[in-house]
Amino acid sequence: MHQEVTLIATVAVSFVCAAVFGYIADRVRLPPLVGYLIAGIAMGPMTPGFVADAGLASQLAEMGVILLMFGVGLHFSTADLLAVRGVAVPGAIAQIVVATIFGIGLAELWGWSLGAGIVFGLCLSVASTVVLLKALEEHNLLDSASGRVAVGWLIVEDLVMVLALVLLPALAEVLGGHAAEGAAHGTGMPLALTVALTFLKVGAFAVMAIFLGPKVVPWLLTSVARTGSRELFTLTVLAIALGIAFGSAQIFGVSFALGAFFAGVVMSESNLSHRAAADSLPLQNAFSVLFFVSVGMLFDPSILVRQPMAVVAALLLIIFGKAIISFVVVALLRYPIGMGLTVAGGLAQIGEFSFILAGLGVSLGLLPHDGQDVILAAAIISITLNPLVCTGAEALHDYIHHRWAGFYARYGHRRLEVLNRELDKIRAITEARERQHQLEIQELTETFPLFAMVDENSQEELLLLFRPKSALPGERVMRKGDRGDGMYFLSSGAVEVQVAGEPIRLEPGAFFGEMALLTGGRRTADVVAVDFCQFFVLERRDFNMFTAKHPILRQAVSEMARERTEMNVMRQRHSQPSGIAS
């Protein structure tokens, strides 16, 4: 195959195979992620048939990592994490520490180095965001207290893994590996200073992202959103994600993953974060699929024959070891039994971060290739079995509930009540914001029924396009003969359109100034405020752009303008005030 089409072939075959195997996985009630991994195995060098370009797939997978971490940051909720911090923070850290210690123990039995054991244990300690969220959604637990704790637990795991990705290259040589590619060699810098410098760089980047980002990114998103260009907004979202990720790696020396994560966190503070998430989701999903396919391409199925006991040991640690650790921690913290079982079942698998960390471990010479194959095999099998594990946890929950009903009702009840109160406060704040937004939309359509013709997304766009303006009684809002600069929508107060004869009074809900925009001519009347007035002004450029995308709205405005013109003509014929002219 010609080199020019290698990229196209890799992407095309990856998507086709991922779609086919993902569909098959879904039909047999497995997560589609399993299908994507199997598609990668089928395309890899270890299986017969078409072999994709692993180098190109790896680079595309890096895009998947960036967008995946951007999505994690975009949905990162500080409030939710603070609400469940009493169980999520100590629980996640305890699980990571204990699981890593067990991983080191297994590595020692197999004759691996300490560095390999640390990487191996960390890979087995962190769960997949995709799999956990899907499991919670299928069991309607995502908005429950147990679901919030599981998600908070996962966020803490993600943060610890982000830190591990940053520190591992700095510690690689000490742990028996080699420096990262492109890193300086032979600097003689003490380990403590190296770690301190790494933290300093990460801290400097975090401070800049947290304090400077919220001032720049929301302003930039709002400015671009006002253009009304959907593709430009999506492009800006991706430019921010990839730009911050690349810039952070080049300037501060931190990983692409950390840069993308902070890009998402910064963007989550914007009022347009939900739109940014919706617009970036298709590309995020597409490149995430390529990431899983590329991971599958690295997997050597022969590991199941060569080291079956290693795979079984890793699976036991993931499914039973992590589940027991999670449940014990939740129980020791005096939270309900049901919550412990939900967390234990949902986290009994490994995923995205495990793949990223394993790949980094191999590249640094810490983890042997067999170790990566064991991790990939354990990940694929644990993800495949996770629905059964969750079902088993739910069945055990029902059994305990019926067998020891009194103990079940009492244990952890107080802690759960406190947690529910905190979560209810957060839900109330979130719902209040959503209600406020809906009220703004509702008020817009009630005050100006004309805008009921367009969908809610377009109504949101209008709220961004509108320029607020006010006027005092007696102030001239519009002057006859001026060039039409915009269309005015009166939200409160009253104005008079001063035409020949008796002035025409306009009340809230009325609009004026459309004729000059439609005809390209000059203003034909003066408009004066007779009360304290508030307007929404749709400037000429925004008016033309918005009505071009919504011809039905332009037609309605044109029809009203035509009726006004006819009314003015009739009034002139009967020597009446000429009516509304603008």
Side-chain angles (χ1 to χ4, degrees):
M1 181 172 290
H2 295 296
Q3 183 64 30
E4 300 84 48
V5 296
T6 303
L7 174 61
I8 298 175
T10 300
V11 174
V13 176
S14 295
F15 281 150
V16 170
C17 290
V20 171
F21 285 104
Y23 178 77
I24 294 173
D26 184 74
R27 294 298 296 174
V28 297
R29 299 185 179 278
L30 294 176
L33 188 151
V34 175
Y36 308 152
L37 292 168
I38 294 174
I41 296 172
M43 295 168 55
M46 305 299 176
T47 53
F50 176 81
V51 177
D53 189 316
L56 285 176
S58 177
Q59 293 183 40
L60 293 171
E62 189 70 34
M63 288 284 290
V65 172
I66 292 173
L67 292 175
L68 187 67
M69 288 306 303
F70 173 69
V72 172
L74 199 58
H75 294 93
F76 180 81
S77 172
T78 306
D80 278 352
L81 181 58
L82 290 176
V84 300
R85 65 188 183 278
V87 58
V89 174
I93 293 175
Q95 177 188 282
I96 290 173
V97 170
V98 176
T100 302
I101 292 173
F102 278 111
I104 293 172
L106 289 175
E108 286 290 330
L109 289 176
W110 301 331
W112 294 356
S113 67
L114 176 63
I118 292 175
V119 174
F120 183 73
L122 287 173
C123 288
L124 301 187
S125 68
V126 59
S128 165
T129 304
V130 177
V131 177
L132 175 66
L133 292 179
K134 183 174 178 62
L136 293 175
E137 286 175 354
E138 288 181 349
H139 291 83
N140 296 319
L141 293 172
L142 193 56
D143 291 326
S144 67
S146 297
R148 294 294 184 93
V149 167
V151 173
W153 193 301
L154 190 62
I155 289 173
V156 176
E157 286 188 351
D158 289 349
L159 291 175
V160 173
M161 289 303 108
V162 167
L163 184 61
L165 291 173
V166 172
L167 289 178
L168 200 58
L171 301 173
E173 292 183 291
V174 177
L175 295 174
H178 53 72
E181 185 178 348
H185 291 273
T187 59
M189 186 180 295
L191 175 61
L193 185 58
T194 301
V195 174
L197 184 60
T198 301
F199 273 107
L200 183 62
K201 288 181 178 180
V202 174
F205 171 68
V207 168
M208 181 174 289
I210 291 171
F211 290 99
L212 184 60
K215 293 181 175 62
V216 176
V217 172
W219 170 82
L220 181 60
L221 284 179
T222 302
S223 299
V224 173
R226 291 193 74 257
T227 66
S229 174
R230 191 87 180 185
E231 64 272 15
L232 184 58
F233 182 84
T234 304
L235 180 62
T236 302
V237 170
L238 295 175
I240 291 172
L242 298 177
I244 292 179
F246 181 77
S248 62
Q250 292 296 312
I251 299 172
F252 297 97
V254 301
S255 66
F256 285 122
L258 182 64
F261 174 77
F262 272 105
V265 170
V266 169
M267 199 173 291
S268 69
E269 300 298 322
S270 169
N271 292 330
L272 296 168
S273 61
H274 65 288
R275 182 173 167 184
D279 283 7
S280 63
L281 188 61
L283 273 177
Q284 181 182 325
N285 287 339
F287 278 99
S288 295
V289 167
L290 290 177
F291 168 70
F292 290 116
V293 170
S294 70
V295 169
M297 290 172 62
L298 299 174
F299 175 61
D300 181 3
S302 67
I303 194 70
L304 299 174
V305 178
R306 289 186 286 110
Q307 295 194 30
M309 296 310 298
V311 175
V312 171
L315 274 175
L316 290 175
L317 177 55
I318 293 169
I319 295 177
F320 293 102
K322 285 174 58 179
I324 293 172
I325 295 168
S326 306
F327 178 79
V328 169
V329 169
V330 173
L332 289 177
L333 292 173
R334 306 289 296 179
Y335 282 91
I337 301 297
M339 179 181 293
L341 291 172
T342 298
V343 172
L347 298 178
Q349 36 79 19
I350 59 173
E352 307 90 54
F353 267 116
S354 304
F355 306 148
I356 300 170
L357 194 61
L360 180 61
V362 171
S363 68
L364 294 173
L366 291 172
L367 186 69
H369 283 283
D370 277 359
Q372 186 180 35
D373 289 337
V374 169
I375 291 169
L376 293 176
I380 294 172
I381 298 173
S382 66
I383 291 171
T384 303
L385 296 178
N386 191 249
L388 294 177
V389 175
C390 290
T391 301
E394 190 173 4
L396 183 58
H397 169 265
D398 292 339
Y399 175 79
I400 295 175
H401 188 194
H402 290 92
R403 183 69 176 80
W404 296 287
F407 172 76
Y408 178 90
R410 291 191 305 272
Y411 193 84
H413 178 69
R414 292 183 180 178
R415 289 289 183 93
L416 182 60
E417 282 187 343
V418 173
L419 178 58
N420 278 329
R421 283 197 295 268
E422 292 189 35
L423 291 175
D424 287 342
K425 290 178 183 178
I426 296 171
R427 291 191 190 100
I429 294 172
T430 303
E431 289 172 359
R433 289 176 180 171
E434 292 177 354
R435 283 196 301 270
Q436 179 64 31
H437 179 69
Q438 292 300 321
L439 284 174
E440 289 177 356
I441 297 292
Q442 183 179 349
E443 183 180 353
L444 178 69
T445 54
E446 288 179 352
T447 306
F448 307 106
L450 180 72
F451 297 134
M453 296 180 178
V454 297
D455 57 29
E456 186 172 341
N457 288 333
S458 299
Q459 292 164 1
E460 289 181 350
E461 185 180 331
L462 267 175
L463 292 177
L464 291 172
L465 293 174
F466 279 144
R467 298 287 192 185
K469 188 174 182 179
S470 59
L472 299 174
E475 183 177 343
R476 192 182 301 275
V477 179
M478 190 178 294
R479 186 182 299 273
K480 182 178 179 180
D482 285 349
R483 184 176 182 272
D485 60 343
M487 184 175 178
Y488 288 68
F489 297 87
L490 181 62
S491 61
S492 64
V495 299
E496 283 187 351
V497 182
Q498 297 181 345
V499 293
E502 183 180 353
I504 305 299
R505 183 183 178 91
L506 299 181
E507 303 287 347
F511 59 85
F512 55 92
E514 79 284 356
M515 287 187 184
L517 299 185
L518 291 170
T519 63
R522 301 281 179 171
R523 301 293 191 192
T524 58
D526 291 332
V527 179
V528 179
V530 295
D531 197 352
F532 294 97
C533 296
Q534 295 289 335
F535 305 101
F536 293 129
V537 182
L538 194 59
E539 295 179 352
R540 173 187 289 274
R541 176 180 177 277
D542 296 335
F543 172 82
N544 291 330
M545 176 199 66
F546 190 80
T547 55
K549 292 195 300 183
H550 301 281
I552 187 173
L553 186 63
R554 189 179 185 92
Q555 182 180 353
V557 173
S558 299
E559 183 65 24
M560 291 181 182
R562 185 185 62 79
E563 292 176 359
R564 287 179 174 181
T565 302
E566 292 177 354
M567 187 183 303
N568 290 340
V569 171
M570 291 181 61
R571 286 180 176 178
Q572 287 175 354
R573 289 176 179 174
H574 292 84
S575 299
Q576 295 291 332
S578 58
I580 303 171
S582 50

